[in-house]
Amino acid sequence: MARRFSPPILPEAPVELIAVAVGDCEVLLAWTECGAGGLGFRIERSDCHSPCTQFVEIGKVGPHVAAFCDGSVDPCTTYHYRVRAWNTSGGSSPSNVVEVTTPKVEGEPPAD
């Protein structure tokens, strides 16, 4: 009897990613999980100019966690984020990409 090979089943990509700057040193991300069977989510960030193609993983959250706080941002900087679901077979395609700019530090004089 021949063994049947089952192709790997990747998780579905998260959708509806949003990003909000919380003060000048944090960005809060939230998304909607699609499907089941994932082991968590990988959060990726880029600080390039659009269109961004080089993202770096900055964090992970477990299954059914649909938010992440990035506390490693700098003031007055534009970031791009995307999220991927993952399981033992690999990672999903990326979510939509969102852009957020952190505000300047309170009381900082304007740039010349």
Side-chain angles (χ1 to χ4, degrees):
M1 190 160 135
R3 282 191 165 180
R4 289 187 180 208
F5 174 75
S6 297
I9 299 174
L10 298 175
E12 292 183 50
V15 296
E16 300 174 348
L17 175 63
I18 59 169
V20 177
V22 181
D24 58 9
C25 60
E26 287 184 333
V27 172
L28 180 62
L29 304 168
W31 58 89
T32 300
E33 180 177 359
C34 289
L39 295 175
F41 298 92
R42 292 186 167 113
I43 295 83
E44 300 174 342
R45 181 180 77 194
S46 176
D47 58 3
C48 66
H49 299 288
S50 263
C52 291
T53 57
Q54 295 188 349
F55 285 82
V56 174
E57 184 178 307
I58 60 164
K60 293 180 187 177
V61 296
H64 312 301
V65 177
F68 179 81
C69 185
D70 181 3
S72 65
V73 296
D74 293 321
C76 207
T77 305
T78 299
Y79 296 97
H80 298 84
Y81 293 91
R82 67 186 186 188
V83 177
R84 294 177 186 263
W86 65 278
N87 65 18
T88 56
S89 295
S92 71
S93 56
S95 68
N96 57 300
V97 175
V98 293
E99 177 181 295
V100 63
T101 302
T102 53
K104 68 179 185 165
V105 175
E106 292 281 329
E108 183 178 281
D112 292 332

